Amino acid sequence: MKIMVAVKRVVDAYVAIRIKNDGSGVELANTKMAMNPFCEIAVEEAVRLKEAGLAESIHVVSVGDDACCETLRQALALGADCATLVETSEPLQPLAVAKCLKALVEREKPDLVILGKQSIDGDNNQTGQMLAGLLGWAQGTFVSKLTLTDGQAIVVREVDGGLETLQLTLPAVITTDLRLNEPRYAALPNIMKAKQKPLTKVPIVELKVESDARQTLMQISAPEPRSKGQRVNSVAELVAKLHNEAKVI
Amino acid sequence: MSILIIAEHNNKQLNPVTSSLISAAQTISQEIEALVVGHQCQSVAEGLASLAGIKKVWLVDQSACKYPLAETIAPIVESIADKYTHIVAPATTFGKNFMPRLAALLDVAQISDITQIESDDTFVRPIYAGNALAKVQSKDTKKIITLRPTAFPPVTETQTPATVEALNIISENTLSQFVGLEKSESVRPELTSAKVVISGGRGLQSADNFHLLERIADQLNAAIGASRAAVDAGFVPNDYQVGQTGKIVAPELYIAVGISGAIQHLAGMKDSKVIVAINKDEDAPIFEVADYGLVADLFEALPALEKAIDELKTS
Ligand SMILES: Cc1cc2nc3c(=O)[nH]c(=O)nc-3n(C[C@H](O)[C@H](O)[C@H](O)COP(=O)(O)OP(=O)(O)OC[C@H]3O[C@@H](n4cnc5c(N)ncnc54)[C@H](O)[C@@H]3O)c2cc1C
Ligand SMILES: Nc1ncnc2c1ncn2[C@@H]1O[C@H](COP(=O)(O)O)[C@@H](O)[C@H]1O
């Protein structure tokens, strides 16, 4: 089977972001960028399926500007076979990204598409579900265990009430949760080899998708800081304050 | 303007998050209808019909709808979407799962996890793990919204029940099938609606040590939460995770024990009214959001806390 994996380039999870003074956005210049952590898990899962002999090829795709090539090369170093960058200078919203991915799916005809459940910059949690809807495919979101059997995917999903198991008919779209696997690091020889693997750039116009922004970002602001708290010196003092001052116990 | 809210329930009980959708919707329009999709869930629909503000409840009740699969529920909502300007669901795993699929079927963008409503087309939502707030204006004629329940007060007043009308929509989902649900049973209040939450992190060191939290949770009628590190280590089940990618809570009192306070954790609890942190590292970032910080070894502090609360309750 063929697997497609969508990866997004985002501000590194451990970087404290800076909001631009004019409230127009988050400062990205000179900010450490990385592959979205959920996408790393998506790549890892695909590589494991290939290593287990369940998949023949892994195609990674990203929608964004040229800098995303770095993220794609990283995925190639981790074990993907080929990469496509859908080139756009404007960051796209999830519906438009899903439309780009749909166009690539129709070209490449994968049996399984794996995405992260959420990008940690926009915290949208939309693209995978939208892609599944556009394609009319089954979806398995927030997946912490994936098993492929003939023509079916059995997924365990992390839901609010516990763990839910579903059986999906392939082709299907999967979105990853944190506990699906623990991503590996790329070994140096593989980083070198990745430079030789094919990376194709497709200008977004070529896909003929409607990618207009449906939302206007009016302003980005910092949340109200919490008022400064106090240190207590003992459990007795803590309980007394919670009782008499905060009145919560 | 007419708003459709999608009820979350388990066929027996309405999830209280649904009532937060009503209060949020009321800030936009009084024309609020609700949809209940499930199996043998008439009583859920009737309960919802008597919550103040609901004008009508639509009910799709059939065995194929027993579990809220996205492939089942999205087309059902799509088929009645025409007459509504806004369709709203909770930003829980229920809503997050099917709403974007619905949005795609309608060719509409979704506005995720909103915490404020500025007007009928402008909303505020946290991004970057809550480190920034984005005010966005939607240009779509139909607004597909998931809403953070803890950011809107639940409606508790009742009314003379609105009509419940059955809809005869046959679901044709051949794509996915429900196999099973491994529920983490708990006698404690539900994490996202509990008034008190006590959470443990990697500092707890083992699943066994979570018992130290359980006793205090019993005393305070609290729910138990956890950091990702505690869940990853297998101390507690996945649905205990509080944070950017877990559950969002905003109780009256949140007690963080042996949790360092990574931004991803803070994203899930920093809107709590009162925050207590117990950590042996005085530089732990959790202290920056704590109203009351106690630098202590948790293995000494927790038994002492249990004793002190006991004394308080009996005095
Ligand atoms: C994409 C992504 C998503 C994430 N989502 C989430 C999320 O939703 N929720 C979440 O929580 N995290 C999330 N994380 C992980 C987060 O970055 C942190 O790694 C995690 O929150 C750390 O958990 P912790 O505080 O329990 O562990 P640690 O950071 O290891 O902290 C343990 C703390 O316990 C204290 N301690 C140890 N022993 C004792 C003792 N005896 N007495 C008192 N204190 C003690 C230590 O001083 C330390 O501060 C996410 C990370 C990523 C990359
Ligand atoms: N610009 C993009 N390029 C490639 N994949 C993306 C892009 N945006 C989102 N995705 C995928 O969709 C997932 C969920 O993103 P989101 O819906 O933005 O939270 C990500 O983890 C990626 O797998």
Side-chain angles (χ1 to χ4, degrees):
Chain A
M1 81 148 69
K2 286 170 76 173
I3 302 181
M4 185 176 278
V5 180
V7 297
K8 186 177 182 189
R9 182 179 162 85
V10 297
V11 174
D12 186 281
Y14 299 103
V15 164
I17 56 147
R18 283 163 295 142
I19 295 167
K20 289 185 185 163
N21 289 336
D22 63 358
S24 64
V26 166
E27 189 57 73
L28 296 182
N30 301 316
T31 302
K32 188 174 173 218
M33 305 293 282
M35 188 189 295
N36 185 38
F38 290 99
C39 302
E40 291 185 274
I41 297 171
V43 172
E44 176 67 30
E45 195 63 14
V47 173
R48 289 187 188 188
L49 289 170
K50 192 176 168 194
E51 286 171 347
L54 291 163
E56 286 89 56
S57 66
I58 304 168
H59 186 158
V60 282
V61 301
S62 192
V63 182
D65 61 16
D66 218 47
C68 299
C69 288
E70 190 192 355
T71 315
L72 289 169
R73 288 280 174 218
Q74 187 188 341
L76 292 170
L78 290 167
D81 298 292
C82 60
T84 300
L85 171 69
V86 177
E87 283 182 297
T88 146
S89 49
E90 284 299 307
L92 297 189
Q93 293 169 359
L95 183 62
V97 174
K99 288 179 180 178
C100 293
L101 296 176
K102 175 177 185 256
L104 290 179
V105 165
E106 282 166 352
R107 265 193 205 184
E108 305 291 334
K109 309 220 164 10
D111 308 282
L112 186 66
V113 185
I114 312 181
L115 300 88
K117 83 162 175 183
Q118 176 174 342
S119 41
I120 60 158
D121 50 2
D123 285 333
N124 303 305
N125 199 327
Q126 299 179 6
T127 311
Q129 297 89 313
M130 287 181 158
L131 175 63
L134 293 174
L135 290 165
W137 287 12
Q139 69 181 58
T141 53
F142 329 144
V143 169
S144 62
K145 187 161 187 272
L146 169 64
T147 318
L148 297 179
T149 57
D150 54 341
Q152 308 279 339
I154 312 290
V155 295
V156 176
R157 307 181 51 232
E158 294 204 354
V159 295
D160 290 340
L163 293 170
E164 182 187 85
T165 306
L166 302 181
Q167 181 173 332
L168 312 176
T169 303
L170 295 176
V173 174
I174 302 289
T175 75
T176 62
D177 215 319
L178 293 169
R179 281 164 284 275
L180 181 58
N181 60 49
E182 235 178 273
R184 71 193 70 188
Y185 294 98
L188 191 59
N190 293 342
I191 295 173
M192 301 311 290
K193 264 191 256 166
K195 293 187 175 142
Q196 312 305 322
K197 291 184 179 177
L199 190 164
T200 318
K201 296 183 189 176
V202 180
I204 188 164
V205 289
E206 218 178 90
L207 296 180
K208 300 198 167 54
V209 296
E210 186 269 319
S211 63
D212 296 353
R214 305 291 189 83
Q215 280 159 23
T216 315
L217 179 61
M218 314 281 284
Q219 196 197 6
I220 300 261
S221 58
E224 283 289 314
R226 283 186 78 91
S227 53
K228 190 137 180 51
Q230 48 179 299
R231 289 288 163 105
V232 290
N233 293 310
S234 66
V235 166
E237 188 187 344
L238 173 66
V239 170
K241 291 212 154 151
L242 290 177
H243 185 64
N244 302 321
E245 195 176 273
K247 298 191 180 3
V248 285
I249 62 172
Chain B
M1 268 177 291
S2 180
I3 304 178
L4 180 68
I5 66 177
I6 316 292
E8 177 165 350
H9 63 92
N10 61 3
N11 293 315
K12 292 191 191 78
Q13 263 144 5
L14 190 66
N15 187 320
V17 296
T18 311
S19 58
S20 294
L21 302 181
I22 305 174
S23 75
Q26 278 170 334
T27 64
I28 300 173
S29 162
Q30 299 310 308
E31 291 309 307
I32 304 170
E33 301 185 353
L35 173 67
V36 176
V37 180
H39 182 50
Q40 294 175 342
C41 55
Q42 179 81 27
S43 65
V44 172
E46 281 164 9
L48 180 53
S50 45
L51 282 181
I54 294 287
K55 293 282 158 65
K56 177 156 206 160
V57 177
W58 300 100
L59 173 63
V60 177
D61 190 330
Q62 50 185 279
S63 61
C65 296
K66 188 160 178 200
Y67 302 99
L69 300 173
E71 297 83 348
T72 307
I73 198 166
I76 290 175
V77 184
E78 183 197 9
S79 69
I80 62 164
D82 250 10
K83 55 186 261 221
Y84 302 100
T85 51
H86 298 70
I87 301 179
V88 189
T92 54
T93 55
F94 163 75
K96 288 173 185 171
N97 184 42
F98 78 90
M99 285 291 272
R101 188 177 180 104
L102 167 69
L105 298 179
L106 295 168
D107 192 26
V108 169
Q110 172 177 295
I111 310 131
S112 294
D113 201 19
I114 65 164
T115 53
Q116 276 177 57
I117 297 173
E118 300 261 316
S119 71
D120 59 11
D121 67 358
T122 305
F123 311 93
V124 176
R125 52 180 303 262
I127 55 173
Y128 287 93
N131 287 302
L133 299 174
K135 191 200 283 188
V136 294
Q137 184 173 38
S138 164
K139 294 191 251 183
D140 285 307
T141 48
K142 205 181 285 302
K143 278 53 169 170
I144 303 293
I145 296 169
T146 63
L147 171 156
R148 182 177 292 192
T150 54
F152 299 90
V155 164
T156 47
E157 304 81 62
T158 50
Q159 64 178 13
T160 322
T163 41
V164 175
E165 190 171 327
L167 277 174
N168 194 16
I169 304 169
I170 305 299
S171 139
E172 284 164 17
N173 173 15
T174 53
L175 301 170
S176 61
Q177 255 182 317
F178 177 85
V179 177
L181 176 64
E182 196 182 303
K183 264 194 251 167
S184 28
E185 297 289 354
S186 169
V187 290
R188 296 208 168 75
E190 206 271 312
L191 186 52
T192 53
S193 52
K195 290 221 158 40
V196 180
V197 173
I198 180 162
S199 287
R202 202 196 311 264
L204 266 289
Q205 289 176 12
S206 73
D208 261 359
N209 290 336
F210 262 78
H211 295 312
L212 297 169
L213 299 185
E214 279 170 23
R215 289 197 223 113
I216 296 166
D218 290 341
Q219 291 172 313
L220 299 176
N221 190 28
I224 295 184
S227 70
R228 172 188 173 187
V231 177
D232 283 2
F235 301 169
V236 286
N238 64 287
D239 53 320
Y240 281 45
Q241 183 177 315
V242 170
Q244 180 187 20
T245 56
K247 286 183 179 160
I248 308 286
V249 302
E252 301 276 303
L253 173 62
Y254 187 89
I255 308 175
V257 184
I259 292 178
S260 61
I263 52 167
Q264 292 89 359
H265 188 79
L266 302 186
M269 45 64 81
K270 71 180 158 94
D271 291 330
S272 304
K273 200 159 144 254
V274 174
I275 297 175
V276 170
I278 302 177
N279 196 305
K280 68 175 181 189
D281 172 8
E282 61 173 331
D283 296 323
I286 190 76
F287 287 123
E288 283 158 36
V289 299
D291 299 285
Y292 300 101
L294 176 65
V295 179
D297 187 316
L298 67 91
F299 295 105
E300 283 160 24
L302 288 177
L305 182 59
E306 189 188 329
K307 197 155 155 277
I309 297 171
D310 237 359
E311 280 163 13
L312 181 74
K313 301 248 153 158
T314 51
S315 69

